[in-house]
Amino acid sequence: TYVAGVDFALSFGLTYPADENLEFQNSTLFMKVLYNAEVLAKSKMPIFVDGVLQTSTAISPLAFPSSGDNQEMNVILSYDADFAEATENVFTGKVVKGWITIWPPLVTIIIAVATREVLWALWAGVWTATMIIYNGNVLTAFLRTLD
C-alpha cells in the first residue's frame, strides 16, 4: 500500500541472460518507469562495479500520482539507451489518499483516552491500519493483526 503523491524507492533483484554484451566491464543497464505512458523516472547503472556483477538495484524517487486499487507502473530494462530490445515488468500497488493515514493513530488516541487501556488502543490502531491495507475486509484485517 502506497500513499498518493508520496515518494518511494522501487527496489528489485536482477537476473541476467547469457549475453556476450555482459562480458564487457563497461556494460550499462538502462531503466525507465512508466505510469499511464508517462515517464516517471529514468536511471542507469553499471552492470559491473569493481569487477562484481550487480544483482539488485533501486529506482527513486517514484510516486503514484493518483489513488486507487491495482495502480500499475511499468519498469522497462534495457542494455541500450534507446530501449530497442527491452524487458518490461509490471509493478502493481494499492494507492490510498494521504488523509486516510491519519485514521490509525487517531483511533488509537481516542480509544486510549476513552478507555485508559493503552494495549487495546494500540491493537485497535494496528487493526485500523490493516483494514486500510486489506480494503476494509474485517476478517482478513483481524487475522493479519494477529500474525
Side-chain angles (χ1 to χ4, degrees):
T1 301
Y2 300 91
V3 178
V6 175
D7 291 344
F8 68 95
L10 178 59
S11 300
F12 51 93
L14 300 169
T15 56
Y16 299 99
D19 188 345
E20 66 253 8
N21 292 335
L22 289 178
E23 295 176 8
F24 300 110
Q25 292 292 322
N26 60 357
S27 295
T28 302
L29 180 66
F30 296 90
M31 301 170 280
K32 177 167 57 171
V33 179
L34 303 175
Y35 177 79
N36 292 338
E38 176 187 340
V39 177
L40 291 183
K42 275 186 166 183
S43 181
K44 65 181 181 177
M45 66 169 265
I47 294 176
F48 290 93
V49 174
D50 296 329
V52 177
L53 183 66
Q54 299 303 297
T55 58
S56 65
T57 189
I59 302 175
S60 66
L62 295 172
F64 283 105
S66 62
S67 62
D69 290 341
N70 300 322
Q71 298 285 327
E72 293 183 350
M73 283 188 177
N74 296 341
V75 179
I76 302 171
L77 306 172
S78 179
Y79 295 122
D80 58 44
D82 299 331
F83 293 92
E85 293 185 26
T87 302
E88 186 169 342
N89 300 291
V90 177
F91 172 75
T92 305
K94 178 183 182 218
V95 183
V96 297
K97 296 191 183 293
W99 61 266
I100 203 164
T101 60
I102 298 295
W103 282 103
L106 192 61
V107 165
T108 303
I109 292 168
I110 290 170
I111 291 176
V113 169
T115 65
R116 307 243 189 256
E117 293 287 336
V118 176
L119 292 178
W120 283 110
L122 288 172
W123 184 85
V126 170
W127 180 73
T128 304
T130 54
M131 288 271 294
I132 293 168
I133 292 170
Y134 291 103
N135 296 324
N137 188 326
V138 176
L139 180 60
T140 302
F142 176 75
L143 295 174
R144 293 296 176 202
T145 303
L146 297 178
D147 279 351

